[in-house]
Amino acid sequence: MLLQPYLRTILSLTESIAPQCMVFWCTVCKEVIKLREEQHIGAVDANSKYCCFIYEALELHVPVLLKHLFKREKDQEGLVRMLLQHLFNQEEDQDGLVPMPLEHLLMQEEDQGDDVMQEEDQGDDVMQEEDQEGDDCLLNIDIDCVTLLGLIARTIRDAIVPLVMQCIEGNIKEPDWHSRMAAVSAIGFILEGPSVKGLAPLLDLLLDKMEDPNSKVKGTTAWILGRMFKLLHFPASANGIITKANLPRIMDVLVHCSKDIPIVSEKVCGAIYFLARGYEDAESMPSELSLSLDRVIDALLSASQPSDETPFRLGASAYEALCAVVRVSNLEQPVVWSAIGDLMHRIMKRLDMTLDRQALTLGHKLKKNNLQIVLCGVLQVIVQKLANSATVKIVTNAAHHLLFSFCRVLVCDSSTAQSEAMSWFAIAALANATGPGFGKHMPILMQVLDAHPLSPISVGVIGDICLALEGKILPHCDKIMQVLYKGLSKSTLRAPIFSCFGDIALAISNDFEKYLQYVLEKLQEAANSQDWADVQEEDKTEYVNQLRQGIYKAYSGILRGIKDPRIGFKVA
């Protein structure tokens, strides 16, 4: 190979040439990966013309890159953890973990907590700038190292594992926890590429390190376990990293470590979330996991115990994991739906406690509001899960209490648009689960509807409720229509209100005749109107499209709902 004499020179990680060398080898890896994908080559052959570059350099690349990162971790505590965060953020697919804006809430919490740390002594500005430039240069090299390790793993796949293991084995039992941290982190850098069979030994190593005496090492290990479950847990294909043989030990470790300090417990909850989410594509949760369901629920509820000492990030992670566990629960087993029903009542109790608690400061109000959001989200998932013929009675028996609690969230003095939205979504789930039986609880909702301002979300939920109740909504239609008529004065509500008219017509069929003339007049006015003074110029195109869609849905609902030809409804 022509480049053989220059490999050691290329891999000398001096600040002057490191960036160029990283770019070169990253480019080589990307080209190999691209060519292999184009040729549909699955297995990796060291003699392949697509792999010869990287295989020749293999024994030099991985040890040098890891040695650099290990040394940097000792020089700068927490560096590899930050690099893992950078890597995970790049690969994050932004799929919603639960139907609640947790990422936004976590950002709010961080912003509130960090504001007091903004003032620093100025010192020598020139020296600070020079130091910063040097740190940035080293950090860029560190990031390039991690990126290159990931690309090598994707290129040579299983062949990288023994080389990484050599570096790990030399550091994993070191007395210095920085060395153990770096060794564990090395696994996180190469998870995308090697096969499940190649990485299986590393799972046992990570489970062993969950007993490390240092909490930072345990937290990082749990973090990497979560990522391993996300990337390599495929129950539907029977070729995942988690098997019937190792699942009991995994659950024992995770449940035990969920009781650790928050920095560890939060990451353990994340690992449980990804473990549970892997079963979404499988037919059902395995019996081994069902047997651990009570333990898992108790552990997650304990981790999210509402108190001033519980960080919001920990509580949010625990509730996310609870939602994932509920979604994949196998309700064919009575012990499972009994556990989910018990969980619903425990979450209801927490929501009531949160609503009863006074919030005097801005920080307490924010925390109370965020808790309301996540608790409503968990209850929504539970209600949706139990909404089948065998288990819906659990929801029906608690429907009055649930609706009352959701309405309390709507009128709570600390509520925000987010908490109100989550409450409305939960109410919609409850109405859909209980069907026409929801009608007897409508007086509670009507009181709130009369006093609470409308929003696009609440209007949409009103339409869903009408469809769920069908003819049972008729006693409340006059009041609902009056509220909707008033809402037409706001441009942001016109489109959803028109759509809601269509839902009401579908629900009550020919009884919609009494509202027909007024509704048709409003639809005609909206179709012909050019008066959008309260709509911003840049929003007019989107507003017009939404308005047209609302008008179409209204006409569609009316045409399908009103079946009596004597009414004489015609579309001009």
Side-chain angles (χ1 to χ4, degrees):
M1 177 180 170
L2 295 177
L3 288 176
Q4 183 66 41
Y6 307 102
L7 287 177
R8 294 189 181 276
T9 304
I10 291 174
L11 287 167
S12 299
L13 292 180
T14 59
E15 293 183 25
S16 59
I17 68 168
Q20 292 86 350
C21 115
M22 296 292 180
V23 170
F24 171 78
W25 284 110
C26 284
T27 303
V28 171
C29 289
K30 289 177 182 177
E31 286 300 314
V32 170
I33 293 169
K34 179 181 177 181
L35 289 170
R36 192 170 59 208
E37 289 176 349
E38 289 177 351
Q39 297 296 321
H40 304 290
I41 299 175
V44 182
D45 181 6
N47 297 318
S48 167
K49 63 180 180 179
Y50 300 129
C51 298
C52 59
F53 273 95
I54 204 68
Y55 265 100
E56 289 291 332
L58 177 60
E59 292 184 358
L60 292 171
H61 274 74
V62 177
V64 171
L65 295 173
L66 290 176
K67 182 179 178 181
H68 169 80
L69 292 173
F70 288 8
K71 180 179 181 301
R72 288 280 289 136
E73 171 62 21
K74 290 183 178 181
D75 295 340
Q76 184 176 338
E77 180 179 322
L79 175 72
V80 293
R81 186 176 175 85
M82 181 186 67
L83 293 172
L84 280 171
Q85 177 71 70
H86 173 78
L87 180 66
F88 294 0
N89 286 345
Q90 280 188 323
E91 296 170 353
E92 184 60 46
D93 55 12
Q94 301 300 322
D95 52 351
L97 306 184
V98 288
M100 49 181 131
L102 286 176
E103 290 298 325
H104 178 72
L105 299 182
L106 294 178
M107 291 172 60
Q108 281 185 327
E109 287 283 322
E110 291 174 352
D111 291 344
Q112 182 192 24
D114 293 341
D115 286 344
V116 295
M117 303 298 294
Q118 298 301 315
E119 295 185 3
E120 298 288 344
D121 295 334
Q122 294 303 309
D124 188 339
D125 292 341
V126 176
M127 289 293 292
Q128 287 182 351
E129 290 179 5
E130 291 177 353
D131 291 344
Q132 185 64 41
E133 288 177 2
D135 291 344
D136 289 346
C137 182
L138 281 174
L139 181 59
N140 288 336
I141 293 175
D142 300 332
I143 293 173
D144 289 342
C145 277
V146 171
T147 303
L148 182 53
L149 275 172
L151 286 169
I152 293 173
R154 290 175 59 196
T155 305
I156 64 174
R157 298 179 179 173
D158 287 356
I160 197 174
V161 176
L163 292 169
V164 173
M165 282 300 296
Q166 291 176 13
C167 297
I168 291 175
E169 289 170 354
N171 291 271
I172 199 71
K173 296 182 179 179
E174 285 288 321
D176 183 4
W177 69 268
H178 295 90
S179 297
R180 304 198 302 275
M181 170 79 86
V184 168
S185 300
I187 300 174
F189 297 144
I190 64 159
L191 287 179
E192 197 168 4
S195 66
V196 170
K197 183 179 179 181
L199 289 171
L202 298 181
L203 174 58
D204 291 329
L205 188 150
L206 290 172
L207 292 174
D208 290 339
K209 291 313 294 177
M210 288 303 295
E211 299 178 4
D212 194 279
N214 185 276
S215 60
K216 293 183 180 179
V217 175
K218 282 193 289 187
T220 301
T221 303
W223 200 7
I224 295 170
L225 276 172
R227 184 166 179 263
M228 179 179 279
F229 297 157
K230 176 183 178 182
L231 296 175
L232 303 170
H233 180 30
F234 312 116
S237 66
N239 187 33
I241 196 74
I242 298 176
T243 64
K244 290 184 177 180
N246 62 25
L247 180 58
R249 187 193 175 199
I250 292 172
M251 297 312 302
D252 288 342
V253 169
L254 294 180
V255 169
H256 174 72
C257 292
S258 68
K259 302 178 179 68
D260 213 305
I261 64 173
I263 191 176
V264 178
S265 184
E266 177 194 337
K267 301 307 179 186
V268 171
C269 292
I272 293 174
Y273 165 79
F274 284 113
L275 185 150
R277 197 180 74 165
Y279 292 104
E280 288 182 354
D281 295 330
E283 291 184 1
S284 64
M285 177 190 290
S287 58
E288 293 83 0
L289 188 55
S290 296
L291 293 174
S292 301
L293 186 60
D294 282 327
R295 288 196 304 146
V296 172
I297 289 175
D298 288 341
L300 293 172
L301 286 176
S302 177
S304 59
Q305 188 66 35
S307 69
D308 292 337
E309 290 74 31
T310 303
F312 180 74
R313 293 185 68 95
L314 171 56
S317 296
Y319 288 125
E320 286 178 319
L322 276 172
C323 288
V325 169
V326 169
R327 288 194 187 98
V328 300
S329 297
N330 184 4
L331 293 180
E332 294 179 1
Q333 304 171 21
V335 65
V336 173
W337 56 258
S338 176
I340 300 300
D342 180 64
L343 172 63
M344 182 182 74
H345 288 287
R346 294 164 78 175
I347 297 294
M348 288 165 59
K349 184 177 180 180
R350 286 194 177 184
L351 180 57
D352 290 340
M353 290 172 56
T354 303
L355 289 165
D356 291 338
R357 188 179 302 151
Q358 280 192 324
L360 302 178
T361 67
L362 181 61
H364 287 157
K365 287 183 178 180
L366 176 62
K367 188 168 185 177
K368 179 178 180 178
N369 176 71
N370 290 345
L371 275 174
Q372 291 171 1
I373 291 173
V374 293
L375 292 171
C376 285
V378 175
L379 287 172
Q380 178 190 345
V381 171
I382 293 173
V383 168
Q384 290 171 333
K385 183 66 179 181
L386 296 175
N388 65 58
S389 57
T391 57
V392 72
K393 190 175 180 180
I394 299 174
V395 177
T396 303
N397 291 339
H400 189 86
H401 188 168
L402 283 166
L403 180 60
F404 185 73
S405 297
F406 296 149
C407 289
R408 287 186 66 191
V409 174
L410 290 174
V411 299
C412 180
D413 58 357
S414 63
S415 291
T416 63
Q418 288 177 311
S419 59
E420 291 177 9
M422 285 311 306
S423 182
W424 280 113
F425 290 146
I427 290 171
L430 182 60
N432 288 327
T434 55
F438 187 79
K440 61 184 178 182
H441 309 298
M442 278 299 294
I444 301 175
L445 188 60
M446 294 306 299
Q447 293 180 39
V448 175
L449 190 62
D450 192 33
H452 197 271
L454 289 177
S455 68
I457 291 176
S458 65
V459 173
V461 171
I462 291 170
D464 292 340
I465 292 173
C466 292
L467 291 173
L469 294 183
E470 297 178 338
K472 294 293 182 72
I473 194 65
L474 197 56
H476 309 285
C477 272
D478 286 349
K479 187 63 180 178
I480 290 174
M481 293 299 290
Q482 288 176 14
V483 173
L484 295 178
Y485 292 158
K486 293 179 182 178
L488 287 173
S489 61
K490 295 183 179 180
S491 60
T492 55
L493 296 177
R494 288 170 197 157
I497 287 176
F498 289 151
S499 180
C500 189
F501 287 156
D503 292 335
I504 295 173
L506 278 173
I508 65 176
S509 189
N510 295 334
D511 289 308
F512 192 78
E513 180 185 3
K514 63 187 295 187
Y515 313 115
L516 184 59
Q517 182 176 353
Y518 185 83
V519 169
L520 291 179
E521 290 176 0
K522 291 300 178 182
L523 291 173
Q524 193 67 34
E525 287 177 13
N528 298 329
S529 175
Q530 299 293 321
D531 182 19
W532 306 314
D534 55 344
V535 181
Q536 297 292 329
E537 186 66 35
E538 59 272 16
D539 297 332
K540 283 187 177 179
T541 300
E542 182 179 0
Y543 170 76
V544 171
N545 290 336
Q546 291 177 347
L547 189 63
R548 287 173 177 169
Q549 188 176 25
I551 293 172
Y552 294 152
K553 287 183 177 180
Y555 279 123
S556 174
I558 294 170
L559 286 168
R560 288 184 293 152
I562 298 180
K563 301 179 176 65
D564 190 344
R566 291 175 297 176
I567 295 176
F569 170 56
K570 296 179 181 180
V571 180

